[in-house]
Amino acid sequence: MEFLSTVAELGLSFALLILLGFLSAIVFEAWRRRDSNVNAETPVAFEDPKSLKQVPCPHISDPAEKYLSLIVPAFNEEQRLPAALEETMNYLQDRAARDKSFSYEVLIVDDGSVDGTKRVAFDFVRKHSVDNIRVIPLGKNQGKGEAIRKGMLHSRGELLLMLDADGATKITDLEKLENQIHAVARKENSVGDSASKDIDFRISDIPVSAFGSRAHLEEKALATRKWYRNFLMKGFHLVVLLAAGPGIRDTQCGFKMFTRAAARKLFTNIRLKRWCFDVELVFLCKRFNISVIEVSVNWSEIPGSKVNLLSIPNMLWELGLMSAGYRTGIWKIHA
């Protein structure tokens, strides 16, 4: 009897979670539409700190102007951002010097920081020019998912990479993701056996995504990482299984690359702004039948993580919100 009572309580808790998600999805969608209308009336522009002039802002629907865009969400990263940016810019400049066809941009999205993050970011813009580094200030904190979405929507690259501001993943590992995307894109482009396809082939036109993965480090991480981070990691595995299905072992690594075609589909549809937006990306990739490659990357834990036990209720709420939103059709997917 006690066992049956426990099962009943768990079932009731899950039902309440879905009901809460359903009600939240209705409110969330109404708020999102209002917010989208406000944003549509206020076009984004970049500021050149040297001339103080506004630089026209591109959109993901425009043709690509660069080969690679790197989107860096930053919230109170005054201490960790400089070293990560320095390493990133050294790599990009060295590669551009070796390959004259290589072009790039870095978009730093300041997610409502209250420290000196924006100052640090603009210092790098002054040093490297607004053509190579741009800053998007969100004004108030909106969440990592929203910061990445804004950066993706206003980037110019054929390939778009999201990466964390702490430099936890080696920047050179982007070539692993890049090579895998090229291989899959060529394979998909060659379907139909048409020689002319290779002539017209553009990497930006083939929807492919590559997710950096730390799954190969899991055994070591379990032994060294704090217990609550292991708990959160296991919880997210469950989130993926329940909300997006199997297939990706590590959804939460902040090192993901998309072709422009894939980013256009994904980031014009994504709704979650904070904890589970990575899971929603997996879900949307499956709905759009976008190829997803999971690629092992070098990763090290950097002090200063903003993940804590208080994240758990937010994860559960977003899980219910996403499940209810898509399953009831309140959240529409636009091709």
Side-chain angles (χ1 to χ4, degrees), residues 32 59-60 149 153 263-270 334-335:
R32 189 191 70 85
H59 192 268
I60 192 69
R149 188 184 75 88
L153 290 180
R264 185 180 298 121
K265 289 176 179 289
L266 296 171
F267 290 97
T268 53
N269 279 284
I270 195 167
H334 305 285

Side-chain angles (χ1 to χ4, degrees), residues 137-156:
L138 297 188
K140 63 179 181 178
N141 179 256
Q142 299 182 41
K144 180 180 178 181
E146 180 64 7
I148 291 172
R149 188 184 75 88
K150 288 281 176 62
M152 290 282 177
L153 290 180
H154 300 299
S155 62
R156 295 175 287 169

Side-chain angles (χ1 to χ4, degrees), residues 223-235:
T224 59
R225 190 183 293 154
K226 294 178 181 178
W227 70 268
Y228 65 84
R229 290 183 65 83
N230 288 329
F231 180 80
L232 293 177
M233 180 185 69
K234 294 296 184 182

